[in-house]
C-alpha cells in the first residue's frame, strides 16, 4: 500500500484489493498514514484506517487510491502503454514540473499562481511574464 501511495500513477487490476488492516491487531498505519491523507479525502482515509476492511479496486479508484483500473488479463499491457508514454516525454520537463507542483501544492492560490508564472517564464530571464510579472525574483 505504501509503495502504491507514493506513486504518481497507480494502475490496478479489477480483482485487486486494498486495505490498512493494522487496526485489526491494535496498531495504526503510522508509516503510510501521511501518504494516505495526501491521496484520498480525510473521511474516506479515516474510514479505511478505522474499519480495517479491504476495498475493491473499483472502490479504490472512486476514492483516488489508484488512477486506473483494468481487467486483470490486460494489466501488463496497460502498464506497458503507460511506461511507453512516459519514456517518450522529456525527463527534465517532468522533473521541473513535478518540483514546481510539490512546491506550489501548499501555497495559497495567488502565491501558487505567482510562483508558477515565474517558473513558466524562467526565473533567470528578464522578460515580461503573464500577469505583468518579470521573470526575475
Amino acid at each position: 500500500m505504501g509503495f502504491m501511495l507514493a506513486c504518481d500513477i497507480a494502475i490496478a487490476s479489477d480483482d485487486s484489493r486494498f486495505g490498512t488492516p493494522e487496526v485489526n491487531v491494535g496498531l495504526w498505519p503510522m508509516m503510510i498514514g501521511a501518504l494516505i491523507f495526501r491521496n484520498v479525502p480525510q473521511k474516506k482515509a479515516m474510514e479505511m484506517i478505522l474499519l480495517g476492511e479491504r476495498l475493491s479496486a473499483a472502490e479504490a479508484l472512486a476514492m483516488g487510491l489508484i488512477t486506473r483500473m483494468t481487467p486483470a488479463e490486460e494489466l501488463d499491457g496497460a502498464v506497458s502503454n503507460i511506461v511507453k508514454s512516459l519514456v517518450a516525454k522529456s525527463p527534465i520537463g517532468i522533473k521541473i514540473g513535478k518540483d514546481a507542483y510539490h512546491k506550489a501544492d501548499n501555497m495559497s492560490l495567488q502565491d501558487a499562481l505567482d510562483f508558477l508564472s515565474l517558473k513558466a517564464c524562467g526565473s533567470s530571464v528578464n522578460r515580461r511574464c503573464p500577469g505583468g510579472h518579470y521573470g526575475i525574483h
Side-chain angles (χ1 to χ4, degrees):
M1 177 73 90
F3 287 129
M4 184 218 29
L5 289 169
C7 294
D8 293 319
I9 300 171
I11 306 168
S13 62
D14 56 2
D15 61 354
S16 297
R17 307 281 292 168
F18 302 90
T20 52
E22 292 86 346
V23 72
N24 296 328
V25 293
L27 300 173
W28 188 264
M30 295 293 186
M31 296 308 295
I32 64 170
L35 291 171
I36 291 171
F37 290 114
R38 283 174 169 78
N39 279 271
V40 300
Q42 180 182 350
K43 288 191 182 290
K44 292 305 287 183
M46 289 301 288
E47 178 182 41
M48 185 174 69
I49 292 169
L50 291 171
L51 297 180
E53 298 171 346
R54 297 248 179 233
L55 303 172
S56 69
E59 291 170 312
L61 181 63
M63 66 190 278
L65 276 175
I66 61 175
T67 55
R68 295 183 185 201
M69 179 179 68
T70 186
E73 62 275 3
E74 297 174 19
L75 182 61
D76 289 343
V79 170
S80 180
N81 288 339
I82 294 291
V83 170
K84 286 177 188 173
S85 179
L86 287 171
V87 299
K89 310 293 187 258
S90 164
I92 293 171
I94 288 176
K95 180 189 181 333
I96 291 168
K98 283 183 64 172
D99 287 348
Y101 165 78
H102 289 292
K103 287 178 182 163
D105 189 36
N106 291 319
M107 294 180 183
S108 70
L109 177 59
Q110 189 58 55
D111 288 345
L113 290 172
D114 291 344
F115 170 74
L116 293 170
S117 71
L118 289 173
K119 283 295 200 185
C121 290
S123 60
S124 64
V125 178
N126 188 10
R127 59 186 158 128
R128 200 140 176 97
C129 295
H133 299 288
Y134 282 91
I136 293 190
H137 223 54

